[in-house]
Amino acid sequence: MFKARVVNGSFAIANVVAGYWGKNQQMRVFHREIPYEWYMGHLTDFCWSAAMVSLGAVTGLNILKSQSTALESDLKTLDSMILGNAAFVVAGTTFVEYLDSIPRAANFDWQDVACYALGTNMAYGVYKASRILKK
């Protein structure tokens, strides 16, 4: 499980860095230092939602590592928990996106929700692929 923790941890770190870079680019646009590009906002939505799921996977794998033996049922439970974490991230961020659209009378940004869903699904896929690695 060491390799799985390294893969998920590396994926989380890469997504945090990429998300921070996207947010930094957005702030530079806000301060009129650079022109806006379509990917800047979506990069943050995609990467930070993926990072949240990957960090949850690393935490779960670390908890299983601390046990003397990890049964197959424990791993199936962890799979369900990571998938639930992904669903919670998408639902929570979608709810916040909805609440953000109310006071400004702005349109609900469905593209952000798609980025949240893609990011969490990508992170869950990386988690499932990393489980193939033994030890």
Side-chain angles (χ1 to χ4, degrees), residues 62-79:
N62 280 333
I63 290 171
L64 281 183
K65 180 196 97 152
S66 66
Q67 295 178 350
S68 59
T69 59
L71 303 174
E72 188 62 34
S73 63
D74 293 337
L75 294 174
K76 286 183 181 179
T77 301
L78 181 61
D79 289 350

Side-chain angles (χ1 to χ4, degrees), residues 23-63:
K23 183 55 88 176
N24 184 35
Q25 294 298 95
Q26 279 183 297
M27 295 311 297
R28 290 181 66 200
V29 168
F30 181 72
H31 293 295
R32 298 183 181 174
E33 296 173 6
I34 60 173
Y36 177 76
E37 297 290 334
W38 66 270
Y39 64 86
M40 293 174 183
H42 299 309
L43 187 65
T44 303
D45 298 334
F46 177 85
C47 291
W48 283 353
S49 61
M52 290 167 67
V53 174
S54 292
L55 289 173
V58 170
T59 303
L61 289 166
N62 280 333
I63 290 171

